[in-house]
């Protein structure tokens, strides 16, 4: 056996020596114009697979090259490319030392085109005038319908991930956001440019209930965010900004849409949308949006179920006048509780064990619940006074019923006997009825000059 092994080694060495005698190699050092080592320079033989990079000392090796004539190419971005004819001889080593020279050659121009489907150019509700976004001296961001559809955004909590300077405060489930460092309240939401939204009550002091649900986007066309103190345009005092929801409107052409979503955590979500004219004159239009969702969440004890209906009827009285009636009905039942995350075990002052509990470990009490039922009616009258001014009168009534029992973890003591969870208990029951009659004048830009009135 030993003789066989020695024979194999002898044959391998002989073949390697024979192969080396039938090939050559190129070695060298590449330096910069100021005699420093040029690192990571491309060195190759043109039209062949032989290629390498220089090391930190500018040294390179191209081994096992078949005999013949080649073109050696040395290149680095920002320097002149060197091409040199070389001849490789069997069993010989060719030494090549070159110095790179800087070049003033400019890169070719790159032009990027976009379809514009994610970049709306005009806004009307965001600042009370119809004007290009580029002409408005405020920070405004719009999430258009195409982006909401492509990203499959289902509620405003998920939409916050696409908004700059807007973050959810505790959970995507609730209408609780931080804008530019300031926590929002109900007064920091508007619905078609009017303060207050269709699902929650805004009191005179701007406070909201403890757990207002994040608005689902079944009937939302786009989301506009006005950041900073410009929110005073909507009678709000929060310097962080305001979030405006723009709903889908009835269309003169028939259109039908149905969406089915099946996702993680046993999610089943359905949405139907139908719109079109009611009569032959096409001056009476309708739109009906319906939605249903049954889903779990990352926390195995979290269960969510909701239903949504919003019929809409619009009468175009004349070319410049219209009346629109919209009803919103939203019913939501879910397990109450915040997703606090998975606790970690503290080994010592600087060491933590992150995998002590599984990823889907739950600290939510399945007995906690939230039952919410919200109904809003909205009657809107629009009239274009002239080419520069538009009058909007809106009558809204809102009825909400909320019954909640919250049992949330306040503290989790790891490594105590059987690990201890401290819970807090909270009961909340509220019924609200409110009406509002805001009047709004909206300016319109002059298309000819581009001036804003």
């Amino acid at each position: 056996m030993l003789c066989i092994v020695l024979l194999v080694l002898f044959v391998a060495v002989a073949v390697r020596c024979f192969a080396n005698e039938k090939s050559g190699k190129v070695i060298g050092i590449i330096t910069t114009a100021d005699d420093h080592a040029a690192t990571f320079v491309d060195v190759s033989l043109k039209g062949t697979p032989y290629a390498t990079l220089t090391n930190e000392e500018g040294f390179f090796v191209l081994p096992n090259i078949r005999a013949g004539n080649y073109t050696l190419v040395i290149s680095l971005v920002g320097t002149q490319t060197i091409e040199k004819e070389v001849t490789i001889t069997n069993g010989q080593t060719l030494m090549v030392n070159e110095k790179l020279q800087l070049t003033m050659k400019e890169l070719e121009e790159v032009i990027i085109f976009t379809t514009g489907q994610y970049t709306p150019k005009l806004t009307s509700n965001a600042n009370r005038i119809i004007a290009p976004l580029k002409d408005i001296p405020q920070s405004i961001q719009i999430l258009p319908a195409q982006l909401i559809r492509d990203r499959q955004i289902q509620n405003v909590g998920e939409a916050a991930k696409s908004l700059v300077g807007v973050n959810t405060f505790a959970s995507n489930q609730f209408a609780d956001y931080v804008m530019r460092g300031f926590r929002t309240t109900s007064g920091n939401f508007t619905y078609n440019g009017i303060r207050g939204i269709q699902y929650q009550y805004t009191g005179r002091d701007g406070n909201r209930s403890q757990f207002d649900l994040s608005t689902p986007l079944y009937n939302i066309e786009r989301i506009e965010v006005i950041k900073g103190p410009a929110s005073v345009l909507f009678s709000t005092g929060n310097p962080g900004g305001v979030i405006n929801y723009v709903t889908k409107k009835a269309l003169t052409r028939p259109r039908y849409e149905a969406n089915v979503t099946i996702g993680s955590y046993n999610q089943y979500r359905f949405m139907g949308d139908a719109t079109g004219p009611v009569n032959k004159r096409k001056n009476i239009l309708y739109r009906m949006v319906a939605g249903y969702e049954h889903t779990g969440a990352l926390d195995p004890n979290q269960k969510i179920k909701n239903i949504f209906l919003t019929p809409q009827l619009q009468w175009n009285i004349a070319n410049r006048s219209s009346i629109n009636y919209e009803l919103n009905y939203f019913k939501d039942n879910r397990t109450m509780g915040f997703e606090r995350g998975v606790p970690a075990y503290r080994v010592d002052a600087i060491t933590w064990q992150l995998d002590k509990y599984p990823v889907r470990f739950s600290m939510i009490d399945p007995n906690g619940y939230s039952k919410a039922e919200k109904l809003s009616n909205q009657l809107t009258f629009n009239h274009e006074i002239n080419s520069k001014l538009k009058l909007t009168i809106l009558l809204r009534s809102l009825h909400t019923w909320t019954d909640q029992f919250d049992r949330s973890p306040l503290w989790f003591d790891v490594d105590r006997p059987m690990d201890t969870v401290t819970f807090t208990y909270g009961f909340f029951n509220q019924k609200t009825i409110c009406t509002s009659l805001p009047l709004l004048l909206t300016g319109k830009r002059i298309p000819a000059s581009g001036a804003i009135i």
Side-chain angles (χ1 to χ4, degrees):
M1 180 63 68
L2 179 61
C3 293
I4 294 174
V5 173
L6 293 175
L7 180 61
V8 172
L9 292 176
F10 174 77
V11 172
V13 172
V15 171
R16 183 65 180 269
C17 294
F18 179 77
N20 289 338
E21 290 180 357
K22 293 296 183 180
S23 63
K25 63 180 178 180
V26 181
I27 64 174
I29 296 177
I30 309 301
T31 58
T32 61
D34 53 357
D35 295 325
H36 289 86
T39 59
F40 303 110
V41 179
D42 291 311
V43 181
S44 63
L45 297 181
K46 191 173 183 179
T48 72
Y50 301 113
T52 187
L53 295 174
T54 59
N55 60 14
E56 295 180 354
E57 286 76 32
F59 179 77
F60 73 91
V61 178
L62 288 173
N64 302 324
I65 304 173
R66 297 180 60 182
N69 297 320
Y70 299 92
T71 301
L72 183 68
V73 180
I74 303 171
S75 62
L76 180 67
V77 176
T79 63
Q80 296 179 359
T81 300
I82 299 174
E83 292 190 4
K84 184 175 182 179
E85 300 297 329
V86 296
T87 300
I88 305 300
T89 306
N90 290 334
Q92 300 296 320
T93 298
L94 179 64
M95 176 69 72
V96 176
N97 297 326
E98 294 291 340
K99 181 177 293 188
L100 298 175
Q101 300 294 331
L102 296 178
T103 179
M104 298 302 294
K105 182 179 179 181
E106 297 181 355
L107 297 177
E108 295 182 0
E109 180 182 12
V110 177
I111 301 177
I112 301 175
F113 296 93
T114 64
T115 60
Q117 58 184 353
Y118 293 158
T119 54
K121 295 179 171 54
L122 291 175
T123 178
S124 57
N125 295 318
N127 64 337
R128 309 301 195 190
I129 57 176
I130 301 175
L133 287 174
K134 64 183 181 64
D135 295 337
I136 301 175
Q138 283 111 20
S139 178
I140 299 175
Q141 184 180 359
I142 298 177
L143 293 188
Q146 189 65 40
L147 179 61
I148 294 174
R149 184 180 300 110
D150 290 348
R151 295 202 60 181
Q152 292 293 297
I153 299 174
Q154 298 179 1
N155 57 59
V156 182
E158 295 180 1
K161 300 176 183 179
S162 300
L163 298 171
V164 179
V166 181
N167 299 285
T168 55
F169 180 77
S171 172
N172 286 348
Q173 300 180 37
F174 307 106
D176 197 355
Y177 309 101
V178 176
M179 302 178 63
R180 288 192 171 183
F182 295 90
R183 189 175 179 183
T184 61
T185 63
S186 289
N188 293 97
F189 299 93
T190 61
Y191 180 61
N192 290 326
I194 304 298
R195 182 178 177 180
I197 64 175
Q198 67 271 39
Y199 306 122
Q200 62 191 35
Y201 169 68
T202 302
R204 295 179 60 185
D205 58 355
N207 292 327
R208 56 178 178 11
S209 65
Q210 184 181 6
F211 298 112
D212 284 323
L213 301 176
S214 179
T215 301
L217 302 186
Y218 292 113
N219 72 322
I220 301 299
E221 181 72 18
R222 68 180 186 271
I223 300 174
E224 301 177 339
V225 180
I226 303 92
K227 305 168 189 175
S231 61
V232 297
L233 291 170
F234 301 90
S235 305
T236 64
N238 193 318
V242 64
I243 299 176
N244 179 48
Y245 306 112
V246 181
T247 59
K248 299 175 180 178
K249 300 297 187 294
L251 305 177
T252 56
R253 291 185 178 182
R255 178 182 173 184
Y256 309 97
E257 179 182 357
N259 292 327
V260 178
T261 302
I262 300 177
S264 303
Y265 312 118
N266 297 317
Q267 182 194 34
Y268 299 93
R269 188 175 189 267
F270 307 90
M271 192 276 287
D273 184 3
T275 184
V278 175
N279 58 354
K280 293 183 178 180
R281 293 182 56 190
K282 297 185 177 181
N283 65 331
I284 300 179
L285 312 174
Y286 82 95
R287 188 153 193 167
M288 178 68 182
V289 179
Y292 171 80
E293 182 180 24
H294 186 286
T295 183
L298 177 63
D299 192 298
N301 288 337
Q302 184 76 51
K303 307 297 179 185
I304 300 172
K305 184 169 65 174
N306 62 59
I307 186 171
F308 176 87
L309 293 172
T310 174
Q312 179 184 155
L313 193 65
Q314 180 168 317
W315 177 26
N316 295 326
I317 304 173
N319 293 334
R320 293 188 174 185
S321 302
S322 66
I323 296 178
N324 181 282
Y325 169 74
E326 180 178 325
L327 180 144
N328 287 275
Y329 175 77
F330 180 56
K331 184 176 182 180
D332 183 277
N333 293 328
R334 66 181 62 206
T335 310
M336 198 62 196
F338 288 105
E339 295 178 356
R340 299 293 188 183
V342 180
Y345 171 62
R346 186 169 186 174
V347 180
D348 52 44
I350 60 174
T351 307
W352 295 80
Q353 180 183 345
L354 303 181
D355 58 351
K356 181 177 178 63
Y357 295 93
V359 174
R360 300 200 68 192
F361 176 80
S362 176
M363 290 194 296
I364 291 180
D365 185 350
N367 296 317
Y369 63 84
S370 169
K371 300 178 182 179
E373 191 171 3
K374 318 215 174 186
L375 176 68
S376 69
N377 296 273
Q378 181 169 284
L379 186 65
T380 307
F381 172 75
N382 291 299
H383 176 68
E384 293 186 8
I385 300 175
N386 52 45
S387 61
K388 303 177 182 179
L389 202 61
K390 178 183 176 181
L391 171 67
T392 299
I393 301 176
L394 187 146
L395 175 63
R396 174 186 293 152
S397 68
L398 176 64
H399 302 251
T400 67
W401 300 266
T402 304
D403 183 16
Q404 295 172 342
F405 167 56
D406 176 35
R407 190 183 185 194
S408 296
L410 178 66
W411 192 261
F412 187 84
D413 295 321
V414 181
D415 210 32
R416 284 195 175 189
M418 299 185 67
D419 293 340
T420 304
V421 182
T422 302
F423 285 94
T424 60
Y425 296 84
F427 296 90
F428 183 83
N429 189 284
Q430 174 180 279
K431 180 178 180 180
T432 61
I433 300 176
C434 67
T435 58
S436 58
L437 181 62
L439 184 146
L440 177 66
L441 290 176
T442 303
K444 299 180 67 177
R445 67 185 182 119
I446 303 176
S449 64
I452 301 175
I453 305 299

